[in-house]
Amino acid sequence: MSGSERIETQGREIGGPEPEMSVARVRQMWHLLEPLHAVLYYAPEAFDEAAKLGFAVEERWPSYFAWRAAPLGAAGAERVTSAFYSFSPRTVAEHVPAAWAVAGPERILQSRLRAVDRAYRALFGARLDGPELAEAAELARAAAESADTAGRPLAAANAALPWPESPHLILWQAATILREQRGDGHLAALLTAGLDPVESLVSFAAIGAAPTERFESRGWSSTEWASARERLVTRGLLDPSGAATDEGHRLRAEVEQRTDVLAAVPWRTLGEDRTARLADLLGDFWLTTITSGLLPSENTLGIGKV
């Protein structure tokens, strides 16, 4: 069984005037591409590049905020907090705008491509020069270039960057645009559901997506977490023990469904046949990535498990 076949593919159809694309296919593409993007935040080569710039690398957050926020330019803490959503403003303020005093956004963007280049070479070796990766890069770029970025600040910022020349870096940049396009849409779905940043995390933990401890890195205090829990109990989304009620599960399912619908345009544009071909091409690269030990086995996204 290939890597892509290990990812669940059941789901409803997304309707509309455009050709239909299953929710499951849209989510599958996210599951396949997200680990390929996330290598940047965990690979030793990326930490090495961050250290060369002058960032502390004892933990991943200084480089994470620099790598991910750099496409926005020298943005301030409020703008980054807004775009990242789930992080406490205090946590963001620890790293932004201080990151730009260590290295300017342009230098960081150049360095992050070097980091991905080195990390991908270590992961995939000679496969970087194979026809499969070149074809995958071409298809992923076509999808990324069709991504709607209106109202999506992180997607738009990454889409405005020049494309690199090497196929493996094109693949990574396409994965980045597509995951940020999906992420920006996810924030819209959370807002529509009436879930503020900390409520979003509390409700996600309550359905068992990840242990509560995994969300501590977002920087919310125990008081803020407890207050959010109480608000969700009052709304009938959590029971007094903090577990999601049926209504809480329903609302979170709606959020994920809406996120998939909002992320569907690139895949409808690419078409079912080419999207399926890209999924097949990505499968083995996905499998190599998630079995490499680079990414945490437990994460706040609920993806990346074999």
Side-chain angles (χ1 to χ4, degrees):
M1 181 180 291
S2 72
S4 62
E5 291 172 331
R6 294 169 184 256
I7 301 175
E8 185 168 341
T9 58
Q10 294 180 347
R12 293 164 46 193
E13 296 296 310
I14 298 172
E18 300 89 350
E20 290 186 340
M21 175 67 62
S22 72
V23 165
R25 176 68 82 188
V26 175
R27 193 170 301 181
Q28 179 198 32
M29 299 313 296
W30 169 51
H31 278 237
L32 286 167
L33 289 166
E34 178 68 25
L36 298 180
H37 162 81
V39 163
L40 173 67
Y41 308 129
Y42 296 98
E45 296 82 5
F47 284 111
D48 182 59
E49 290 293 335
K52 289 177 181 177
L53 287 173
F55 287 100
V57 293
E58 291 76 16
E59 60 174 5
R60 74 184 183 99
W61 298 115
S63 57
Y64 170 87
F65 280 95
W67 296 138
R68 191 170 175 220
L72 296 171
E78 289 187 1
R79 185 179 175 195
V80 174
T81 299
S82 174
F84 285 21
Y85 199 71
S86 67
F87 285 90
S88 158
R90 293 183 303 276
T91 298
V92 177
E94 290 177 13
H95 304 288
V96 177
W100 320 133
V102 177
E106 285 300 322
R107 285 187 63 207
I108 292 170
L109 291 171
Q110 293 168 5
S111 185
R112 79 173 188 171
L113 283 180
R114 287 196 298 271
V116 173
D117 176 60
R118 292 176 57 193
Y120 271 26
R121 290 184 185 283
L123 274 172
F124 305 131
R127 282 183 287 171
L128 291 190
D129 300 319
E132 293 83 4
L133 189 139
E135 184 182 357
E138 180 181 358
L139 290 170
R141 178 173 178 171
E145 288 182 331
S146 70
D148 48 328
T149 58
R152 291 173 162 91
L154 284 169
N158 280 281
L161 298 175
W163 285 95
E165 295 183 3
S166 301
H168 63 289
L169 295 181
I170 291 173
L171 176 61
W172 181 84
Q173 185 151 314
T176 300
I177 294 168
L178 291 163
R179 69 91 64 183
E180 296 293 14
Q181 191 260 4
R182 181 188 176 87
D184 289 337
H186 183 61
L187 302 192
L190 292 169
L191 288 166
T192 301
L195 295 170
D196 68 25
V198 64
E199 290 169 353
S200 299
L201 299 181
V202 173
S203 63
F204 201 39
I207 64 171
T212 300
E213 295 74 23
R214 292 297 303 170
F215 297 94
E216 290 179 354
S217 62
R218 298 302 190 263
W220 301 101
S221 70
S222 57
T223 299
E224 290 167 326
W225 191 272
S227 295
R229 177 180 288 183
E230 286 304 312
R231 294 194 297 273
L232 296 177
V233 169
T234 300
R235 289 176 61 183
L237 300 176
L238 271 60
D239 65 27
S241 73
T245 62
D246 289 345
E247 180 63 16
H249 280 283
R250 184 195 64 76
L251 185 64
R252 286 300 320 197
E254 285 184 359
V255 167
E256 299 308 318
Q257 175 82 5
R258 187 172 291 115
T259 299
D260 289 325
V261 171
L262 291 172
V265 168
W267 309 115
R268 282 204 300 259
T269 303
L270 193 63
E272 176 58 38
D273 289 345
R274 293 203 295 166
T275 299
R277 174 58 177 165
L278 177 57
D280 288 341
L281 290 166
L282 291 176
D284 288 339
F285 294 101
W286 172 84
L287 190 60
T288 297
T289 302
I290 67 166
T291 59
S292 67
L294 283 181
L295 307 182
S297 59
E298 206 172 57
N299 60 71
T300 58
L301 297 174
I303 65 171
K305 296 182 180 180
V306 181

